[in-house]
Amino acid sequence: MTSTSTVDYQRTDGPTLRLTFSEPEGSLRGGLVVLHEADGVTDGVKLLLASLATEGWLTVTPHLENDRLTQQDLLDATDLTLAWLVERGVQGDLLGVMGFDLGGTAALVVASHRKLGAAVSVGGQQSAELPALVEIAGKLTSPWLGMYGDAGDEAGGAEVERLRDAAASAKVATNVVHYPGANHRFDADPGAAAEAWQRTLNWFDAHLR
């Protein structure tokens, strides 16, 4: 399995941001910003980075202060992380973002404020500092895939249908998938987890090329 590393990244006279990343061993297909869950950069996040790297993606997660993360803080940190990817040789049209749980909400926020090649959200925990999913889904500017279970998600059951309708009004490709009975990590349903992983890879394959 590909290993992960952590660096403190700073552009000229700018803020310093801690980044944890994983590099593919073969040819580089593109770069993905992974926005972590509420618990921070956990072993699960590092495993996700490494798993995506084995598929050819340079993957990186910025260390965010989720307990007081505002929308502007999120966008600033994401912009800095994207700049790091570009400095590492990733072309602008091969940049994507994804997130789980609170990071899933964050990925949707980024995808509605930045023009990236693709975005994926798995779950969408509510945050007092970030807007509700249905409020921003219609403003998407990046192709977006959203996948939601029922337990612990802001979007569950009927909310998924509202989210699907809102996303359909955006001017980019969108797809919203509901997995009844799955939690935000999809731990409760291994079959759903495997399908969601494949959908994620397919989405990035289709839009980042």
Side-chain angles (χ1 to χ4, degrees), residues 98-121:
M98 76 169 299
F100 280 75
D101 194 20
L102 180 59
T105 297
L108 177 55
V109 171
V110 171
S112 64
H113 287 81
R114 299 291 184 265
K115 291 184 178 181
L116 301 174
V120 175
S121 295

Side-chain angles (χ1 to χ4, degrees), residues 40-205:
V41 183
T42 62
D43 288 342
V45 173
K46 294 177 181 178
L47 177 60
L48 175 62
L49 294 175
S51 297
L52 289 167
T54 63
E55 299 291 334
W57 307 103
L58 173 57
T59 54
V60 56
T61 186
H63 291 238
L64 304 173
E65 298 291 338
N66 282 335
D67 58 340
R68 57 180 182 270
L69 181 68
T70 67
Q71 178 172 291
Q72 192 58 55
D73 290 338
L74 167 64
L75 294 174
D76 289 346
T78 302
D79 287 344
L80 196 56
T81 308
L82 291 168
W84 181 87
L85 284 169
V86 171
E87 287 184 7
R88 298 295 292 263
V90 180
Q91 298 180 18
D93 58 349
L94 297 178
L95 294 169
V97 62
M98 76 169 299
F100 280 75
D101 194 20
L102 180 59
T105 297
L108 177 55
V109 171
V110 171
S112 64
H113 287 81
R114 299 291 184 265
K115 291 184 178 181
L116 301 174
V120 175
S121 295
V122 182
Q125 180 180 325
Q126 178 65 60
S127 167
E129 301 294 338
L130 299 178
L133 304 182
V134 293
E135 293 179 3
I136 55 175
K139 303 174 183 178
L140 282 159
T141 52
S142 302
W144 176 71
L145 168 65
M147 295 178 287
Y148 299 91
D150 292 320
D153 285 333
E154 177 185 339
E159 281 295 299
V160 176
E161 296 305 318
R162 291 182 58 207
L163 182 59
R164 181 180 288 115
D165 291 342
S169 67
K171 297 181 180 180
V172 293
T174 65
N175 187 20
V176 176
V177 183
H178 181 212
Y179 292 94
N183 60 15
H184 68 278
R185 296 171 181 268
F186 289 52
D187 296 344
D189 189 337
E195 182 180 314
W197 173 248
Q198 192 58 55
R199 283 182 183 271
T200 296
L201 298 180
N202 291 346
W203 191 259
F204 287 133
D205 286 345

